[in-house]
Amino acid sequence: MITARMDSQAEALLSIRGLTIALDDRPGTSPVVQNLTFDVREGECVGIVGESGSGKSLSSLALLNMLPKGVHISSGSIIAAGKDLTKANERELRDVRGSLVSMVFQDPGAALNPSRTVGKLLADVLHAHSDLSRESIRERSIAVLNDVGFPDPESRLKSFPFQLSGGLRQRVAIAMALINRPRILVADEPTTSLDVSVQKGILQLIRRRTTEDRIGCVFVSHDLGVIAEVADRVVIMYSGQVVEEGPVANVLTNPRHPYTRGLIASAPNMTSTLANPLRPIPGSLPSVGRTPNGCAFQDRCPDKSKGQCAPQDPSWTTDSKNPSHRWLCHDSSNSRAKASL
Ligand SMILES: Nc1ncnc2c1ncn2[C@@H]1O[C@H](COP(=O)(O)OP(=O)(O)OP(=O)(O)O)[C@@H](O)[C@H]1O
Ligand SMILES: [Mg+2]
């Protein structure tokens, strides 16, 4: 399932430090993403997981400086190949998008222009970054379609997106993201709209391309089971903040933050059986801009009585046996291994 390949010596391809995203029209309210900090190394896939509204999409869009109207980066840095993307101008960002950092979106149908054939969609992306001949474009397109497991690519270059299944459309979207050989791939819920067997194929494809092409991958999902299939490390987000992070195997077998334990207990493909049904986390996320002082999870935490959850902010605790596993909780008993979920 998981190939943990933490190579702490490898240089980070992507370094996010203190990234904070605020609402434009509500100064003084809590940020929608706060102090996001993590690295992605060569050949490594980092999963970002959290409930709906926890800030996953805004965090991933910020990596390409593509935030929607209404929010802005208020502080922090995003260093990719030595460049701080938060300081890049529009022209520099156009060069970066698709070549240094590429994105795959959730809905393959919506992401592909319906009036362009597969061949033209791929050629458009290649043209944006290079001046190749028609023949080279065709060769590169067929090669990248082969890489993403697209059957019979030569004869499908003339197909329109509506002539393809959801799984094949998502393979075209991934081929478009990879064709200029980016160093970093950001995938925001790329398999959510696909059925389980097609999803598995796409996860294997992203895993294989990450390892073989030595790219850095950021993979966003609300589903811990999906993250367990594809990622080496996981960042758990709650209400715009990271509350736990570490190698996937450690976090899933020895979760320390009560929110992570709640996510595992409520993940359909991880723990549920007839005898041990899903246990959804009671309550809901704080409203936008209204994250409470102290621990963001305090109102829903089953362990609230054990810690001083407010008003002080919690501090990070690091696993003494595995310093890359850390969590943000006031409850000191969480620093011991939990025997059961
Ligand atoms: N353009 C915007 N203006 C104001 N608030 C926004 C904007 N976009 C998102 N938000 C708010 O920011 C929070 C985080 O949104 P985001 O889309 O990143 O969540 P998410 O974790 O990706 O959720 P989902 O799993 O549903 O995709 C949400 O509360 C959302 O309502
Ligand atoms: Mg989202």
Side-chain angles (χ1 to χ4, degrees):
M1 172 174 76
I2 303 154
T3 345
R5 281 177 288 97
M6 266 299 295
D7 180 0
S8 55
Q9 303 305 311
E11 205 185 314
L13 285 175
L14 181 67
S15 268
I16 297 139
R17 292 287 172 272
L19 183 70
T20 298
I21 301 173
L23 295 163
D24 291 354
D25 58 359
R26 280 191 268 167
T29 56
S30 44
V32 279
V33 172
Q34 195 173 345
N35 204 15
L36 185 68
T37 294
F38 67 94
D39 285 341
V40 186
R41 298 180 178 80
E42 264 188 14
E44 179 183 57
C45 183
V46 174
I48 300 184
V49 73
E51 286 168 292
S52 184
S54 54
K56 306 179 301 294
S57 289
L58 290 183
S59 302
S60 47
L61 289 167
L63 302 183
L64 278 158
N65 218 328
M66 276 171 52
L67 284 175
K69 286 203 172 72
V71 291
H72 63 279
I73 294 176
S74 57
S75 57
S77 59
I78 302 166
I79 310 290
K83 293 188 183 86
D84 185 351
L85 303 185
T86 65
K87 300 201 163 64
N89 61 32
E90 251 327 295
R91 195 188 54 75
E92 289 168 325
L93 284 170
R94 265 201 307 277
D95 288 345
V96 163
R97 289 183 194 129
S99 59
L100 178 60
V101 190
S102 265
M103 181 126 189
V104 181
F105 295 94
Q106 176 172 335
D107 184 350
L112 303 179
N113 182 340
S115 63
R116 308 287 283 165
T117 61
V118 171
K120 292 219 164 73
L121 287 165
L122 291 167
D124 292 344
V125 186
L126 273 174
H127 273 313
H129 294 280
S130 60
D131 213 1
L132 294 172
S133 67
R134 263 180 81 174
E135 200 38 47
S136 309
I137 286 177
R138 189 181 154 77
E139 275 168 25
R140 277 278 284 281
S141 299
I142 291 169
V144 76
L145 286 171
N146 265 322
D147 286 347
V148 301
F150 195 97
D152 193 14
E154 284 195 64
S155 67
R156 305 300 278 276
L157 286 174
K158 289 200 162 61
S159 299
F160 286 92
F162 72 85
Q163 295 170 313
L164 306 174
S165 65
L168 284 186
R169 283 201 295 269
Q170 193 57 303
R171 282 178 199 264
V172 173
I174 296 171
M176 287 166 70
L178 293 177
I179 198 164
N180 282 311
R181 303 193 179 109
R183 304 293 295 127
I184 298 151
L185 180 71
V186 182
D188 185 4
E189 309 246 16
T191 59
T192 306
S193 58
L194 306 174
D195 69 49
V196 176
S197 62
V198 179
Q199 167 174 302
K200 203 165 180 63
I202 298 288
L203 295 180
Q204 284 167 349
L205 159 65
I206 290 182
R207 181 67 259 180
R208 202 169 51 245
R209 297 279 42 100
T210 302
T211 308
E212 288 178 10
D213 301 343
R214 306 294 297 156
I215 57 177
C217 175
V218 177
F219 191 104
V220 171
S221 179
H222 61 272
D223 184 341
L224 262 177
V226 164
I227 294 295
E229 296 263 341
V230 76
D232 301 295
R233 288 196 306 125
V234 62
V235 169
I236 311 277
M237 282 189 84
Y238 182 77
S239 192
Q241 298 173 20
V242 178
V243 295
E244 181 157 5
E245 67 170 308
V248 173
N250 293 57
V251 173
L252 294 188
T253 55
N254 193 10
R256 303 301 182 88
H257 197 284
Y259 178 60
T260 312
R261 291 202 286 273
L263 274 185
I264 293 172
S266 61
N269 42 359
M270 297 197 65
T271 52
S272 67
T273 59
L274 277 179
N276 179 22
L278 293 181
R279 282 172 284 146
I281 306 172
S284 52
L285 284 168
S287 317
V288 189
R290 298 257 176 99
T291 306
N293 289 331
C295 175
F297 190 54
Q298 58 185 279
D299 291 339
R300 301 170 74 189
C301 183
D303 296 346
K304 191 170 177 180
S305 58
K306 295 189 199 158
Q308 293 285 322
C309 305
Q312 273 84 29
D313 289 340
S315 51
W316 286 101
T317 307
T318 299
D319 184 346
S320 54
K321 294 201 190 99
N322 193 330
S324 61
H325 183 183
R326 56 181 203 145
W327 56 94
L328 193 62
C329 183
H330 289 95
D331 176 9
S332 55
S333 66
N334 278 326
S335 50
R336 293 192 296 274
K338 296 270 171 177
S340 69
L341 304 181

